[in-house]
Amino acid sequence: MNDPGREANQRELVSRWVHDHGRSVLGYLVGLVRDRSAAEDLLQDVFCRAWQARHRYVDTGRERAYLLRIADRLACDRARRPRKVMPASDEGIRPLEPVDGERSPWETLLAEEARAQLTSALNMLNEPQRRVLLLRYYGDLGFSEIAEILGAPLNTVLSHNHRALQALRRLLVEKNGS
């Protein structure tokens, strides 16, 4: 039977997940699929799946790991599907937004340049290294949680993280000529 109180509690739970973990899951997905629009679509799918599975969810205090596991699986499934190439149109080009007033134009430019360099360097990492870093820093997960999500041994996850950080450091130093 439907229990209205339980249904309301579950609705509240999933709403809290969106509020508390939505940005982290989106950041992970953007880093993984490298397309913000596709990542936003996947984010909706993550929370739809979480809603559909709400009756089976057992609260262990690891909500973010649970959501990132769903996100990781959906992103991997998406990578396996053939992609349609859509030609760009003038309608798809967004105009530049004005500066928000909190930063000077120079600070905004430097932040965007740093973000672009980091994104470029992340894209040069191999897939396992990139996934580990994204789960670690966007997901704010411990290495044992990452190992569980990826189905990999802990030492392998630690190795991927170490090598990825070394590669990022090298790539960013080379890029900046320092």
Side-chain angles (χ1 to χ4, degrees):
M1 294 270 167
N2 277 343
D3 178 2
R6 184 167 189 236
E7 190 75 18
N9 287 343
Q10 291 171 339
R11 197 173 298 119
E12 174 68 28
L13 174 72
V14 174
S15 294
R16 188 172 46 78
W17 287 355
V18 171
H19 180 266
D20 292 351
H21 307 295
R23 288 180 56 132
S24 295
V25 175
L26 179 61
Y28 174 69
L29 288 167
V30 168
L32 199 56
V33 301
R34 300 179 217 144
D35 176 351
R36 183 159 185 101
S37 178
E40 288 170 350
D41 290 343
L42 285 170
L43 180 67
Q44 287 182 350
D45 290 343
V46 167
F47 287 108
C48 283
R49 294 275 174 97
W51 175 254
Q52 291 165 350
R54 69 191 182 279
H55 301 294
R56 294 186 307 269
Y57 177 74
V58 177
D59 191 3
T60 60
R62 297 174 53 193
E63 300 162 344
R64 185 173 291 179
Y66 173 71
L67 295 169
L68 286 167
R69 181 179 301 117
I70 295 170
D72 189 67
R73 289 180 182 155
L74 287 171
C76 288
D77 289 346
R78 178 187 179 274
R80 287 186 208 109
R81 289 190 306 251
R83 296 192 185 136
K84 297 177 186 175
V85 177
M86 308 258 314
S89 67
D90 290 339
E91 296 168 7
I93 300 173
R94 294 187 306 216
L96 294 176
E97 296 179 21
V99 175
D100 61 11
E102 291 183 22
R103 290 193 223 169
S104 72
W106 181 248
E107 290 171 324
T108 301
L109 179 64
L110 289 176
E112 288 300 319
E113 184 177 333
R115 183 176 299 124
Q117 287 178 353
L118 180 58
T119 299
S120 175
L122 278 170
N123 289 337
M124 297 177 87
L125 298 176
N126 66 40
E127 189 72 16
Q129 291 174 348
R130 185 171 51 253
R131 286 171 75 191
V132 167
L133 280 186
L134 293 172
L135 286 168
R136 177 75 174 149
Y137 296 101
Y138 280 104
D140 194 30
L141 298 177
F143 292 112
S144 59
E145 291 173 304
I146 295 169
E148 184 180 324
I149 287 172
L150 299 178
L154 178 61
N155 286 338
T156 301
V157 169
L158 291 169
S159 177
H160 285 320
N161 184 73
H162 179 73
R163 289 186 182 128
L165 289 174
Q166 284 182 325
L168 278 180
R169 189 174 298 117
R170 182 180 41 79
L171 290 165
L172 292 172
V173 166
E174 286 174 6
K175 190 96 168 168
N176 292 320
S178 299

